[in-house]
């Protein structure tokens, strides 16, 4: 179902896709594909993406998470926002080759959620909501980047093991370097996720958003599982000082859980803050119950 | 104006001759000043490395011959001239330029594409210019050679890929470890190859070396050279877990490091990677070790195949480099032709301006009531007219000179305008 309002995000996807092609091309065939093109198309995509979110926000008068589609593209915006900042701080060579394709693919997937009738059921001017959503989104963004780094780690590790010394081998940084960055992104994401979950818990307790059985909500359960996975991972790193392949594999598992918590729960019919429009919303139900 | 190079290299002369003719930083200035005393209107640069000794000379009148330089070299080093000349090569003008560009771009080096020669050329030029032995021509030539070399290195993959076993090994280590500070290098055996690797790792920042060898004294010797620690050969197993990089090159007929040992060691390392380099034949490290997680094992064949591949890749680039250099030589020769005509154009300008001045001097007394400002306008107009008149011919002459007609144009200009100035500038101005 094509709408005029899709155009900016389609442009964004086209730019991300161009960036993907160029960032992969700059490794495979550096004479033809200029790395700078990859960088600038990504930046241009990011600006259009930002503009689109501002537009959505102004249109609805809320932060753009009023439905699943908007939340998804807001999350993707966070991923790039965190990436651009980290790249500026730490210089992450060739990470875009792993991250931008992922963002492009997720962006295309996000498109399929538009037109879904799930909309948010609570007031977006709520302090708790912002305190719940923003840390979690930035945390998820950090986990997305650590996922890309894990893929990069395992790729480089495989190349070293199998003695495949191609163009990609030369472009990628050292295993130790990737490992350190993975650690940095994880230690950024985890406190934020914790904070977001704590605020979420406060919110749900004080305002009874998800009903009395809130702890049986899929998203709550999976969120907790995600938290535990990353807690275990950080424990491995901090206490047992684990490195290498195992950490990379667990980071990948953690990200799969993140994605499942974020999107998968909708397929399972979670009503976590979103509601099918043709049913009475929670708030309405709550109102009805009130005397 | 001509450029000559006389010299020998690893291809033309054996080391016995090269060392006889070699200069060092101390006697190059003396040699240059002696040469310039003998041939005052020339410029000279001496390039002396372990693989080549070359003397680049530019003479303004173009009268200097190869034999003169040969005579100078044989006199300076007291080597018999006929004997020396059998090992020397010499090139003139564009071929000399081509040769220098080849040398600077490391196309003439023993190890194709190595980067050291570029800094050696730079240094040779710096010494000569400090000694004021270079002038317009060699200044241009050497600057251009450095540019050409950089161009070749950026536009081709001539300098890419390491071409020695030890540098390839270090390159792999760099793909595992971010830096070597704080990393422990365990060295088993104390052969020449080990030492080369240690040296390379030391240069890249590694500081903790542990050396184990059958003869403890030799281990101590090597360890001392790099502020390392020598250990008894029997204690090798205990140090495995601490080692990030292990280099082994013993002459033992059996494996020295076994799968069980490394499996045990990696447990203690908690997933921190371990890099093992086996440069011994027969092999020292059990090949099965390569299958352990977070352990990376490379043997001499792995390293050698990468070296061979890289050399191959460099060799394949030669043709591309050659055509790049040819272009650069052409540019330089054009510039040289242009330079030849410059003195003539300067003289032409002076000639015109002198005439102008004379005429103005004649005019001034005739104009009684002319103010200072008005007079300045008159002078300005005169200068402007002359410059405008000369602009086009100078441009055309320079352009034509680029195509090689420099000398003819100089003569024509002189003849047409009656300039009989001998254009011999001293070289260092």
């Amino acid at each position: 179902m094509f709408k005029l309002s899709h155009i900016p995000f389609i442009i964004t996807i086209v730019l991300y896709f161009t960036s993907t092609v160029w960032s992969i091309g700059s490794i495979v065939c550096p004479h033809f594909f200029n790395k700078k093109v990859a960088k600038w198309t990504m930046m241009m995509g990011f600006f259009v993406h930002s503009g689109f979110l501002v537009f959505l926000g102004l249109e609805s008068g809320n932060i753009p998470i009023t439905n699943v589609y908007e939340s998804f593209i807001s999350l993707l915006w966070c991923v790039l926002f965190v990436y651009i900042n980290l790249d500026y701080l730490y210089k992450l060579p060739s990470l875009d080759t792993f991250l931008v394709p992922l963002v492009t693919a997720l962006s295309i997937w996000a498109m399929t959620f538009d037109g879904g009738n799930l909309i948010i059921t609570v007031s977006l001017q709520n302090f708790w909501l912002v305190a719940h959503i923003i840390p979690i989104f930035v945390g998820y963004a950090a986990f997305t980047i650590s996922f890309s780094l894990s893929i990069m780690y395992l790729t480089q590790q495989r190349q070293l093991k199998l003695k495949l010394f191609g163009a990609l081998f030369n472009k990628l940084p050292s295993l130790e370097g990737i490992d350190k960055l993975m650690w940095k992104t994880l230690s950024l994401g985890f406190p934020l996720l914790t904070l977001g979950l704590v605020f979420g818990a406060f919110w749900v307790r004080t305002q009874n958003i998800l009903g009395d059985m809130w702890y049986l909500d899929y998203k709550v359960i999976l969120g907790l599982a995600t938290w535990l996975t990353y807690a275990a991972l950080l424990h491995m790193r901090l206490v047992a000082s684990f490195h290498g392949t195992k950490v990379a594999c667990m980071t990948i598992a953690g990200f799969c859980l993140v994605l499942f918590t974020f999107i998968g729960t909708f397929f399972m019919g979670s009503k976590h803050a979103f509601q099918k429009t043709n049913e009475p919303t929670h708030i309405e139900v709550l109102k009805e119950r009130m005397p | 104006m001509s450029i000559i190079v006389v010299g020998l290299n690893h291809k033309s002369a054996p080391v016995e001759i090269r060392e006889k003719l070699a200069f060092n930083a101390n006697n190059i200035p003396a040699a240059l000043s002696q040469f310039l005393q003998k041939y005052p209107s020339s410029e000279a640069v001496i390039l002396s490395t372990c693989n080549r000794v070359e003397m680049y000379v530019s003479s303004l009148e173009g009268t200097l011959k190869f034999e003169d330089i040969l005579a100078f070299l044989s006199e300076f080093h007291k080597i018999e001239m006929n004997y020396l000349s059998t090992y020397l090569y010499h090139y003139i003008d564009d071929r000399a330029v081509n040769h220098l560009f080849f040398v600077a771009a490391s196309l003439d080096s023993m190890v194709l594409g190595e980067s050291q020669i570029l800094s050696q050329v730079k240094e040779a030029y710096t010494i000569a210019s400090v000694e004021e032995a270079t002038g317009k021509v060699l200044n241009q030539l050497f600057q251009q050679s450095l540019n050409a070399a950089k161009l070749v290195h950026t536009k081709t993959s001539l300098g890419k890929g390491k071409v020695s076993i030890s540098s390839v090994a270090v390159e792999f280590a760099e793909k595992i470890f971010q830096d070597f500070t704080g990393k422990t290098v365990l060295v088993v055996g104390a052969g020449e190859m080990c030492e080369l690797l240690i040296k390379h790792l030391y240069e890249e920042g590694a500081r903790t070396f542990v050396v184990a060898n059958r003869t403890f004294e030799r281990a101590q010797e090597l360890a001392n050279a790099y502020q390392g620690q020598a250990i008894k050969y029997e204690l090798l197993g205990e140090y495995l877990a601490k080692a990030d990089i292990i280099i082994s090159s013993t002459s033992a007929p059996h494996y020295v490091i076994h799968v069980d040992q490394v499996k045990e060691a990696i447990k203690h390392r908690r997933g921190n990677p371990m890099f093992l380099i086996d440069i011994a034949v027969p092999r020292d490290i059990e090949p099965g070790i390569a299958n352990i997680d977070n352990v990376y094992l490379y043997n001499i064949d792995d390293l050698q195949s990468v070296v061979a591949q890289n050399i191959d890749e460099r060799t394949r680039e030669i043709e591309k480099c050659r055509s790049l250099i040819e272009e650069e030589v052409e540019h330089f020769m054009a510039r040289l032709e242009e330079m030849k005509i410059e003195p003539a154009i300067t003289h032409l300008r002076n000639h015109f301006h002198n005439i102008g001045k004379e005429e103005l001097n004649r005019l001034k007394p005739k104009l009684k009531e002319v103010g200072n400002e008005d007079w300045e306008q008159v002078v300005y107009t005169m200068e402007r007219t002359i410059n405008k008149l000369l602009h086009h011919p100078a441009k055309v002459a320079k352009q034509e000179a680029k195509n090689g007609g420099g000398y003819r144009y100089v003569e024509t200009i002189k003849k047409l305008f009656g300039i009989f100035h001998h254009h011999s500038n001293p070289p260092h101005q």
Side-chain angles (χ1 to χ4, degrees):
Chain A
M1 192 169 39
F2 178 77
K3 276 187 268 174
L4 209 62
S5 63
H6 282 154
I7 290 176
F9 197 57
I10 289 172
I11 293 173
T12 306
I13 291 175
V14 168
L15 286 166
Y16 288 163
F17 185 73
T18 315
S19 176
T20 300
V21 172
W22 252 261
S23 68
I24 294 170
S26 70
I27 287 174
V28 183
C29 178
H31 295 294
F32 187 75
F33 295 97
N34 192 334
K35 182 94 201 166
K36 278 183 186 148
V37 176
K39 195 184 165 180
W40 286 110
T41 45
M42 187 199 76
M43 288 307 277
M44 275 156 64
F46 180 68
F47 281 119
V48 179
H49 196 157
S50 311
F52 182 51
L53 286 178
V54 170
F55 164 77
L56 285 177
L58 289 176
E59 197 189 38
S60 65
N62 288 313
I63 51 172
I65 51 164
T66 54
N67 56 37
V68 182
Y69 167 65
E70 284 186 11
S71 319
F72 205 162
I73 60 177
S74 295
L75 175 68
L76 292 171
W77 183 85
C78 283
V79 172
L80 280 177
F81 179 74
V82 174
Y83 165 71
I84 289 164
N85 282 290
L86 287 179
D87 188 41
Y88 179 74
L89 285 176
Y90 301 118
K91 298 273 163 286
L92 316 169
S94 302
L95 179 58
D96 58 334
T97 312
F98 290 80
L99 188 70
V100 179
L102 179 70
V103 171
T104 312
L106 291 177
S107 301
I108 294 168
W109 192 27
M111 285 293 287
T112 64
F113 284 91
D114 193 27
N117 49 7
L118 288 171
I119 62 150
I120 202 153
T121 53
V122 287
S123 164
L124 287 161
Q125 267 88 24
N126 193 312
F127 162 77
W128 288 111
L129 176 76
V130 177
H132 171 57
I133 292 291
I134 290 182
I136 287 191
F137 270 36
V138 178
Y140 280 2
F143 292 144
T144 312
I145 291 163
S146 69
F147 165 76
S148 304
L149 285 165
S150 308
I151 299 284
M152 198 165 159
Y153 186 95
L154 292 177
T155 311
Q156 185 70 322
Q157 189 258 356
R158 208 180 110 86
Q159 291 185 116
L160 275 162
K161 276 272 187 205
L162 299 180
K163 289 155 193 165
L164 303 167
F165 311 123
L168 185 60
F169 176 77
N170 293 324
K171 283 275 157 55
L172 294 187
S174 64
L175 290 179
E176 195 185 32
I178 306 173
D179 193 64
K180 278 185 183 162
L181 285 169
M182 234 151 70
W183 171 240
K184 274 180 186 142
T185 49
L186 285 176
S187 51
L188 169 72
F190 186 72
L192 288 169
L193 178 67
T194 313
L195 199 68
L197 289 180
V198 168
F199 282 140
F202 265 115
W203 185 27
V204 86
R205 294 298 294 153
T206 53
Q207 304 194 357
N208 200 8
I209 303 299
L210 296 173
D212 295 330
M213 306 292 267
W214 62 275
Y215 43 84
L216 289 182
D217 182 87
Y218 292 122
K219 205 154 183 163
V220 175
I221 295 167
L222 280 166
L224 196 65
T226 311
W227 187 85
L228 282 172
T229 309
Y230 281 105
L233 192 57
L234 268 105
H235 175 82
M236 269 169 76
R237 263 306 285 247
L238 275 176
V239 183
S241 79
F242 249 96
H243 296 268
T245 339
K246 274 196 190 118
V247 174
C249 290
M250 259 188 94
T251 311
I252 291 174
F255 177 72
C256 292
L257 211 50
V258 163
L259 208 58
F260 193 60
T261 313
F262 187 68
I263 294 298
T265 44
F266 293 116
F267 296 114
M268 292 164 68
S270 165
K271 289 174 181 166
H272 187 102
F274 290 106
Q275 191 65 270
K276 282 207 161 67
T277 44
N278 49 6
E279 284 172 20
T281 62
H282 257 283
I283 289 181
E284 283 167 71
V285 174
L286 288 171
K287 272 182 194 157
E288 277 167 24
R289 278 189 200 160
M290 280 178 199
Chain B
M1 212 183 271
S2 69
I3 299 170
I4 309 174
V5 54
V6 177
L8 45 73
N9 62 16
H10 57 282
K11 288 176 222 160
S12 79
V15 65
E16 301 87 63
I17 315 296
R18 295 206 304 272
E19 64 192 10
K20 269 186 200 155
L21 201 69
F23 290 87
N24 54 44
N26 298 327
N27 64 8
I28 289 179
L32 288 172
S33 74
Q34 271 184 35
F35 185 80
L36 291 185
Q37 254 169 18
K38 211 167 174 186
Y39 305 103
S41 67
S42 58
E43 306 170 26
V45 171
I46 292 172
L47 172 66
S48 182
T49 73
C50 22
N51 284 330
R52 70 182 64 246
V53 180
E54 286 174 344
M55 189 160 176
Y56 291 86
V57 175
S58 156
S59 91
L60 208 57
E61 287 101 358
T63 48
L64 209 65
K65 292 275 175 315
F66 153 65
E67 287 78 12
D68 300 326
I69 302 167
L70 171 65
F72 170 77
L73 286 173
S74 88
E75 195 184 322
F76 189 85
H77 284 289
K78 303 191 173 51
I79 311 171
E80 212 258 306
M81 214 184 338
N82 287 339
Y83 171 67
L84 185 62
S85 68
T86 50
Y87 296 103
L88 289 178
Y89 48 77
H90 70 282
Y91 303 107
I92 296 169
D93 289 343
D94 53 341
R95 292 194 56 204
V97 175
N98 197 63
H99 179 74
L100 176 63
F101 287 9
F102 250 67
V103 169
S106 186
L107 286 161
D108 200 42
S109 302
M110 192 132 91
V111 179
L112 195 65
E114 51 105 0
S115 57
Q116 213 184 357
I117 185 69
L118 187 61
S119 54
Q120 286 163 335
V121 170
K122 214 182 274 176
E123 202 187 325
Y125 167 63
T126 312
I127 293 175
S129 70
V130 166
E131 290 302 311
E132 296 187 341
T134 59
K136 247 174 159 180
V137 178
L138 289 193
N139 280 342
Q140 283 272 346
L141 176 67
F142 276 80
Q143 302 285 0
Q144 214 49 51
S145 76
L146 300 180
N147 290 344
K150 274 176 205 150
L151 188 80
V152 165
H153 279 272
T154 49
K155 287 221 169 162
T156 71
S157 36
L158 185 72
K160 307 236 165 66
K162 301 286 187 293
V163 287
S164 75
I165 297 276
S166 60
S167 54
V168 166
V170 171
E171 196 180 43
F172 286 153
E174 278 170 345
K175 285 290 173 194
I176 296 170
F177 304 106
Q178 197 172 25
D179 56 61
F180 298 136
T181 45
K183 298 286 181 297
T184 304
V185 182
L186 175 63
V187 184
V188 189
E192 199 183 326
M193 199 62 203
C194 275
E195 200 168 344
L196 212 62
L197 255 164
I198 294 178
K199 186 169 166 255
H200 228 110
L201 285 166
Y202 188 86
E203 278 164 9
E204 297 297 322
R207 287 295 176 271
T208 319
F209 294 96
V210 178
V211 186
N213 194 41
R214 280 259 176 241
T215 41
F216 187 68
E217 289 69 32
R218 175 70 190 122
Q220 239 169 353
E221 209 176 288
L222 186 60
N224 288 343
Y226 292 92
Q227 293 100 50
Q229 179 196 357
I231 57 161
K232 291 245 160 56
Y233 189 77
E234 293 72 32
L235 297 177
L236 181 63
E238 291 172 28
Y239 280 83
L240 279 180
K242 288 181 195 149
D244 299 287
I245 300 170
I246 298 172
I247 305 162
S248 190
S249 102
T250 72
S251 49
H254 49 77
Y255 294 137
V256 174
I257 297 170
H258 300 273
V259 174
D260 310 339
Q261 284 175 305
V262 177
K263 264 190 183 154
E264 192 54 38
I266 205 77
K267 264 187 212 154
H268 295 288
R269 292 179 61 77
R270 299 179 181 281
N272 272 311
M274 200 172 182
F275 182 39
L276 296 103
I277 308 160
D278 188 353
I279 38 182
V281 179
R283 285 178 292 177
D284 278 349
I285 304 176
E286 212 177 322
I289 285 173
N291 300 328
I292 304 172
D293 208 18
N294 295 317
V295 174
Y296 305 92
L297 169 65
Y298 287 81
N299 64 33
I300 188 85
D301 274 6
D302 299 327
L303 301 172
Q304 220 139 34
S305 73
V306 174
V307 168
Q309 209 180 321
N310 288 345
I311 291 178
D312 241 38
E313 242 157 67
R314 286 186 180 193
T315 319
R316 254 181 274 143
E317 290 293 289
I318 291 183
E319 271 316 303
K320 209 167 148 194
C321 299
R322 207 186 290 273
S323 65
L324 270 175
I325 283 182
E326 260 163 32
E327 257 172 56
E328 288 301 300
V329 172
E330 243 168 62
H331 284 165
F332 177 78
M333 293 314 287
R335 174 82 195 101
L336 198 66
E337 289 298 332
E338 212 184 286
M339 271 161 63
K340 281 184 193 166
I341 208 166
E342 266 167 12
I345 290 172
T346 313
H347 288 136
L348 183 64
R349 280 224 170 84
N350 291 343
H351 182 73
F352 271 49
H353 281 286
N354 286 341
I355 293 172
K357 261 180 211 153
E358 270 169 35
E359 289 305 304
L360 286 174
N361 288 342
R362 202 179 58 82
L363 176 69
K364 194 156 190 197
K366 287 184 188 166
L367 303 170
K368 276 167 198 144
E369 282 167 20
V370 60
N372 257 351
E373 263 175 40
D374 291 338
W375 180 247
E376 266 172 28
Q377 282 298 323
V378 174
V379 173
Y380 175 70
T381 308
M382 174 66 93
E383 277 173 3
R384 226 177 119 79
T385 312
I386 292 171
N387 285 340
K388 273 198 162 177
L389 278 173
L390 284 177
H391 177 74
H392 191 70
K395 203 174 102 185
V396 173
K398 275 188 184 175
Q399 259 168 12
E400 289 296 322
K402 273 186 192 167
N403 304 329
Y407 181 73
R408 192 162 50 87
Y409 268 82
V410 173
E411 290 308 309
T412 314
I413 288 172
K414 282 189 196 161
K415 206 166 186 181
L416 276 177
F417 293 99
I419 309 166
F420 301 106
H421 193 287
H422 189 59
H423 68 279
S424 65
N425 300 13
H428 22 85
Q429 263 184 0

